[in-house]
Amino acid sequence: MRRLTGAAVAVLLLLHPVALPAPASAAAADIVNADFETGDLSGWTATGTTFTHAVTKDTGWGWGCCFGQQGASHVWGHRTAGDAATGTLTSSQFELGGSGQVSFLLGGGNDTTNLYLALVRAGDGAILFRATGRNEENYHRVTWDASAHIGQTLYLRAVDTATGGWGHLNLDDVRLDEPAPGDLVAHWSFDEPGGAVARDSVAGRDDPINYVFNNAVYKPSSPPQRRPGVVSNALLFDGYSTWLTRSGLDTPTQALTVQAWVAPRAFEWGDDRKLSAIVDQHDEAARQGFILGVGRHGAWSFQAGIAGTWQSLWADSAKPLRRDRWHHLVATFDAATRTMRLYLDGTPAGSLGTPAGGITPYPGNLQIGRHNQGVVINGTFTVNMFAGLIDEVSLRRRALGPAEVTAAYQAVPAAPTPDLAMRRSRYDGDIYRPQYHFMPPEHWMNEPHAPVYAGGQYHLFYQHNQHGPYWHNISWGHGVSPDMVHWRDTPVALVPTAGSVAPDGVWTGSAAVDASGRPLLFITAGDDSVFPNQRTGVARGSGGPGDTDLNTWTMDPAPVTVQSPTLDVGAGRKVRYGDFRDPFVWREGNTWFQLVGSGVQTSSGGDVGGTALLYTSADARNWTYSGPLMVGDVNAYPRTGQVWELPVFLPLGGGKHILLTNPMWSYGTEHNVKYVWYWIGAWNPTTRTFTPDSTAPRLFDYGEHFTGPSGFVDQQGRSVVFSIAQDKRTERAHYDSGWAHNAGLPIVLSLGPDGDVAVQPLPELTTLHTTTNPPVSITSDTSIEAANQQLAGVRGDMLHLSLELAAGGTGRYGVKLRRSPGGEEETLLFYDTATRTLSIDRTRSGNNSSLFGNLGVQGGPLNLAGQNLKLDIYLDKSMIEAYANGRRAITSRVYPFRGDSLGLQLWAEANVTVKNLKVWQMNPAYG
């Protein structure tokens, strides 16, 4: 074996303890022909038939590729006589020296009883270690720490008594790593190509990786995600469901080094002041064990229970972790010097003196990526977890010195750019996840907001938790589109940032373009160090003319507007101090206007209603309070809420504007997260007054899933509104599915001939049709029965229906959607001529994963005034959206239990004629 200098081997082992160079020659104390480069079994003894002629230079096995052997020759146990052959292969004897590490490449079948490589003691034939394959022809590296047997005479023996499928072993590149110090306790390289285990090369065992889709509920199962790492592969931790568990690991107590390469995707808020765990084996309350983790804004720490105390070493504030880049972390403890130390990217990052004594052992499991006492949210989600890539984790029973740490870091010449992109393919096959609606690539969203046209394309932002499918640490996600229909994901635009106007949350807002063409994002800036913790701020596009995707933003350090408790909201009234959010900004001529959602109370504290507070500015920097644009009446109209969120104010034409609001309550109510209300009236920008045609609120959408409005005037001069289509699933369903919520379809608002709002789905949605000519097309008067014959062959959960029905009598009529063949499951969309209402009946829709057991019937008034019923209906997995006569909309959701609930059927209690019917299949919105 080629002898390396101690320094050279130390550098290699610190980086990747099992990846030593191939031996160049054999020595007397080593295994003869350890790499089979003689091209035969010289130095090895074979019995039986399986290994007799197994040495080969083949690089692949004929029906696949590739072995990945070291050098040219290796042992392929299938080569001589296939899986049925049996036998043994025994190495020459050797005296174990140096570090006591034995490592080798192993492939083939998985059977620890009948198919394995063993390390055997020559004196008594005792098997000291054994390893088997993974049912893979390609090689993986196995390393044994046999340091307890240094000085003993040993040999290797491959045993094959297996005769069934995968009844063979492959072997190559045996190494005795003599010069390295024998201090490794555990090492996970995460180099496996797949599967739900990670190999500890020191113990030679596979440790389980928890992942939500190991046993998926709503989609086909899939393994944890691996991406390119600093050496080979790395494991991607999704932030809520991915972690590795190691049981029975006795961590050293007198000296310890914890080492890892990490690439954070996002940072948590830090519930209960706990770290997002990178490597964790601790109980802080009991002052046992240790944890290496990251806190808010990239601050990171090494903590341990030492001599009955809990010691916390935080990295220097000037050396935080950064998102979207690789970092080399090393944490050490040495009882002899009473010191804890941190190193970031090869340089010291902090130190702490400790009491005399060692680390008090923690008897529980070691976990990578998960805090073992994390805070639980909504009874379901454990937080204090790592989100991002982790690679090359190792524990040592001594404290590395500064030079060794630097050498380990420099052993990676240039860490690659980490691949942290969220991928929609993760959810392939999900039975409920919409495909042509705007939604984040992964995890949680609530309202989409801040639509704007800039850089030659449309942009839409959204409230997003990068750590999982639950509301928590909110950032601004971002997508771009040429037409508001076909979307492309772009990097997260804004995140809570230390020292900024928004350290604790970047909440909902709006977008605008200033006079110079520079895009602006007006945000609700969360800052828990002040009260109210809600202010408005602004971020400015700072990427320059070439940044057409608007990937680069800079937040102004000072807030735009701050709520005052003394705002004038009318005689005998006061503003609801502490509720101040969701700025909506637009410009008319030389004047900027800003609405902020809030509430109004009586001077004694009684509720009056929600409000939209109006501010004006000449430069979008300095703002003056004008007063409430309008104040609601929660006593007369309880469903309109104590507070108005997400005010949207858009022109409708004909000299009228529409004000849309989202109601909110400070207490639980049956009306929560169900409605958007609107008022139409005259707007006078000179006097800053809005005069509604009626003070009575009107319900914008008759379903229970249209909330969170946002809007803007697009390049064609159209008032376009976006919404969040609440999925209203259980928290368990959010966990199991891995995503929560999506946007509703974009809709165009205008003033109808009756003075009410006219609502149309964005016409560009038709570009998502899979074909120009619809598979079903009826253009002349047809009976319900004849139309249903044409619909009988239609199956799908991504459809667009255009339908016109003429009723010749009284009764109910409409269409059955998501219908099973026998009608066991179906959703009824119908018009009732007696009550002049449009409704959706979901009592037989199926409520698999729904928050509510009875989905019920929802609807509202629609006076056809002698017209036929005209419906545009969009089905997208769990989504149902219907637009009636350009005037009313229903946004709803269904979760059928049955996989065959994919049919359509017209139905009628009255005499009904089909005037027009077209059905298209739809393409996804994301290419």
Side-chain angles (χ1 to χ4, degrees), residues 791-861:
L791 289 176
V794 177
R795 293 287 183 271
D797 53 11
M798 293 174 60
L799 302 175
H800 173 207
L801 289 74
S802 177
L803 174 65
E804 181 179 352
L805 300 175
T810 60
R812 300 183 307 162
Y813 61 94
V815 59
K816 298 178 180 180
L817 308 167
R818 296 301 304 269
R819 184 177 187 274
S820 63
E824 300 88 349
E825 287 186 334
E826 60 187 9
T827 299
L828 277 61
L829 182 70
F830 65 93
Y831 184 75
D832 190 326
T833 60
T835 59
R836 296 180 180 180
T837 55
L838 178 73
S839 300
I840 188 168
D841 182 344
R842 298 183 295 157
T843 56
R844 294 170 63 185
S845 297
N847 57 6
N848 186 19
S849 82
S850 173
L851 185 61
F852 304 105
N854 182 5
L855 301 180
V857 180
Q858 296 83 41

Side-chain angles (χ1 to χ4, degrees), residues 651-675:
L652 292 180
K656 295 300 178 75
H657 274 63
I658 186 170
L659 172 66
L660 299 114
T661 66
N662 195 100
M664 187 66 186
W665 294 262
S666 61
Y667 53 86
T669 169
E670 62 178 311
H671 304 304
N672 199 33
V673 197
K674 283 188 179 181
Y675 315 119

Side-chain angles (χ1 to χ4, degrees), residues 438-499:
F438 179 93
M439 67 187 307
E442 294 185 23
H443 293 163
W444 168 275
M445 74 171 285
N446 42 299
E447 56 265 12
H449 50 75
V452 67
Y453 186 84
Q457 55 191 344
Y458 289 99
H459 301 257
L460 187 62
F461 302 85
Y462 55 93
Q463 297 284 274
H464 183 39
N465 179 12
Q466 298 179 78
H467 262 79
Y470 58 96
W471 191 94
H472 208 41
N473 196 34
I474 297 297
S475 304
W476 274 37
H478 181 200
V480 299
S481 171
D483 54 7
M484 293 183 282
V485 173
H486 298 84
W487 291 98
R488 176 169 54 87
D489 297 314
T490 52
V492 169
L494 301 174
V495 299
T497 304

Side-chain angles (χ1 to χ4, degrees), residues 254-514:
Q254 298 303 304
L256 174 66
T257 295
V258 183
Q259 181 175 219
W261 282 86
V262 302
R265 174 191 277 170
F267 302 122
E268 286 187 302
W269 189 81
D271 292 71
D272 204 20
R273 298 184 179 181
K274 293 181 177 179
L275 298 172
S276 300
I278 298 171
V279 183
D280 173 26
Q281 191 180 25
H282 91 289
D283 181 340
E284 181 177 351
R287 298 175 178 83
Q288 296 174 339
F290 74 94
I291 180 172
L292 173 66
V294 58
R296 301 180 75 180
H297 307 135
W300 59 290
S301 178
F302 178 48
Q303 302 175 7
I306 300 173
T309 68
W310 187 253
Q311 300 293 312
S312 299
L313 170 58
W314 286 87
D316 296 341
S317 60
K319 293 190 174 183
L321 303 187
R322 306 290 183 185
R323 295 184 306 118
D324 303 325
R325 60 156 291 181
W326 281 107
H327 288 290
H328 181 241
L329 306 186
V330 175
T332 69
F333 164 70
D334 190 347
T337 61
R338 301 184 184 180
T339 307
M340 296 169 69
R341 298 185 187 277
L342 293 177
Y343 301 86
L344 177 66
D345 298 335
T347 62
S351 63
L352 177 70
T354 64
I359 296 175
T360 304
Y362 170 66
N365 295 334
L366 179 140
Q367 297 187 115
I368 298 175
R370 185 179 193 264
H371 198 290
N372 59 26
Q373 296 167 334
V375 173
V376 177
I377 291 180
N378 301 333
T380 305
F381 294 93
T382 300
V383 296
N384 311 115
M385 294 183 63
F386 183 82
L389 290 165
I390 298 181
D391 198 7
E392 300 298 330
V393 176
S394 64
L395 274 65
R396 296 177 177 276
R397 59 176 55 90
R398 67 185 181 92
L400 295 180
E404 293 175 298
V405 172
T406 300
Y409 171 68
Q410 292 177 345
V412 177
T417 300
D419 178 6
L420 293 165
M422 291 184 171
R423 294 179 181 169
R424 295 177 178 274
S425 59
R426 183 183 181 204
Y427 304 105
D428 285 353
D430 188 298
I431 58 176
Y432 299 132
R433 180 176 166 89
Q435 297 297 298
Y436 61 83
H437 283 70
F438 179 93
M439 67 187 307
E442 294 185 23
H443 293 163
W444 168 275
M445 74 171 285
N446 42 299
E447 56 265 12
H449 50 75
V452 67
Y453 186 84
Q457 55 191 344
Y458 289 99
H459 301 257
L460 187 62
F461 302 85
Y462 55 93
Q463 297 284 274
H464 183 39
N465 179 12
Q466 298 179 78
H467 262 79
Y470 58 96
W471 191 94
H472 208 41
N473 196 34
I474 297 297
S475 304
W476 274 37
H478 181 200
V480 299
S481 171
D483 54 7
M484 293 183 282
V485 173
H486 298 84
W487 291 98
R488 176 169 54 87
D489 297 314
T490 52
V492 169
L494 301 174
V495 299
T497 304
S500 76
V501 70
D504 299 306
V506 190
W507 301 320
T508 302
S510 61
V513 177
D514 67 18

Side-chain angles (χ1 to χ4, degrees), residues 129-131 134 140-144 185-188 192 197-208 244-250 365:
F129 293 90
R130 74 169 68 193
R134 299 178 176 173
H140 65 279
R141 173 68 63 179
V142 177
T143 300
W144 291 325
V185 176
H187 172 253
W188 297 270
E192 301 82 12
V197 296
R199 189 74 169 176
D200 173 5
S201 59
V202 177
R205 59 177 281 179
D206 292 330
D207 294 314
L244 177 144
T245 300
R246 172 62 181 277
S247 60
L249 181 66
D250 294 326
N365 295 334

Side-chain angles (χ1 to χ4, degrees), residues 494-497 500-503 506 523 525 538-540 553-558:
L494 301 174
V495 299
T497 304
S500 76
V501 70
V506 190
I523 67 174
V538 66
R540 303 176 189 274
W553 299 88
T554 301
M555 285 189 279
D556 281 5

